[in-house]
Amino acid sequence: MTTFLIAAVTADGFIARHSRHLADWTSKEDKRFFTQKTKEAGVVIMGLNTFKTIGKPLGDRYNIVYAPASPVGRPAEEKLQGVEITQENPEVLLARLEQKGYREAAICGGAAIYTMFMEAGAVDALYLTVEPVLFGQGLSLFTKPLDVQLALQSVEKLNDTGTVLMSFKIKN
């Protein structure tokens, strides 16, 4: 199974101002790429905060949300309808998805989920849109230091305002 991380960052490297910040700061071209790429994958995996900022399951994709279970085993968030709730480690989740016939999965955030999948060595590629904005401070792409080597595959200018899409393969 191929797994890719997909994210938009500011020119100073932040994915959001805070954990409840909507992704309304990204360009329409980034949103178009995100929709196309995640629909091609068929599976989107995200954390609870990311799901809450989106507000609903993403259409035409199998939505998986990492969320804590309540003591009786039910999701802590009752509003999570139309998604699969999980606490599985990345390897177990991806193996199960592959057994179900899925061949590709998109890791859609946030920082804790990106970090968990990168630390597990479960990411094959990274699609990073850099938007020409500065936040000065905010949430980083990852929550912990990593030592991961990337191989740049492509760079594409998405619009005239300076939005750039970079595609990387994970080397190690």
Side-chain angles (χ1 to χ4, degrees):
M1 167 168 260
T2 302
T3 306
F4 62 87
L5 188 150
I6 188 167
V9 297
T10 61
D12 52 351
F14 299 107
I15 59 172
R17 293 183 187 274
H18 50 76
S19 64
R20 303 253 189 254
H21 188 194
L22 301 177
D24 56 0
W25 59 272
T26 65
S27 63
K28 66 181 180 198
E29 293 83 5
D30 171 64
K31 288 174 179 53
R32 187 177 309 122
F33 175 76
F34 177 89
T35 300
Q36 173 217 333
K37 194 69 183 164
T38 58
K39 281 185 177 181
E40 286 173 9
V43 177
V44 291
I45 300 168
M46 67 191 82
L48 184 58
N49 284 340
T50 300
F51 179 77
K52 285 179 177 179
T53 63
I54 296 169
K56 62 182 180 183
L58 297 173
D60 300 323
R61 287 152 278 192
Y62 185 49
N63 289 246
I64 299 173
V65 175
Y66 275 86
S70 69
V72 293
R74 291 188 346 202
E77 297 290 324
E78 293 300 325
K79 296 179 183 177
L80 299 180
Q81 296 180 8
V83 302
E84 176 187 329
I85 306 300
T86 191
Q87 298 88 36
E88 294 170 300
N89 70 48
E91 299 91 344
V92 171
L93 173 62
L94 295 174
R96 185 169 55 79
L97 289 170
E98 192 167 28
Q99 287 177 348
K100 286 183 166 186
Y102 292 103
R103 297 287 168 244
E104 200 170 22
I107 312 305
C108 301
I113 303 304
Y114 291 146
T115 303
M116 178 173 61
F117 275 80
M118 288 297 283
E119 284 186 321
V123 179
D124 302 299
L126 168 64
Y127 295 98
L128 193 63
T129 301
V130 180
E131 293 286 0
V133 298
L134 299 172
F135 288 169
Q137 63 183 20
L139 297 178
S140 296
L141 189 59
F142 301 105
T143 60
K144 296 179 185 176
L146 297 171
D147 187 15
V148 177
Q149 300 297 310
L150 305 174
L152 181 65
Q153 300 295 296
S154 66
V155 178
E156 178 184 352
K157 187 175 176 184
L158 295 183
N159 59 30
D160 291 334
T161 63
T163 301
V164 176
L165 171 64
M166 296 184 293
S167 170
F168 298 92
K169 292 286 184 198
I170 307 296
K171 285 173 64 173
N172 56 340

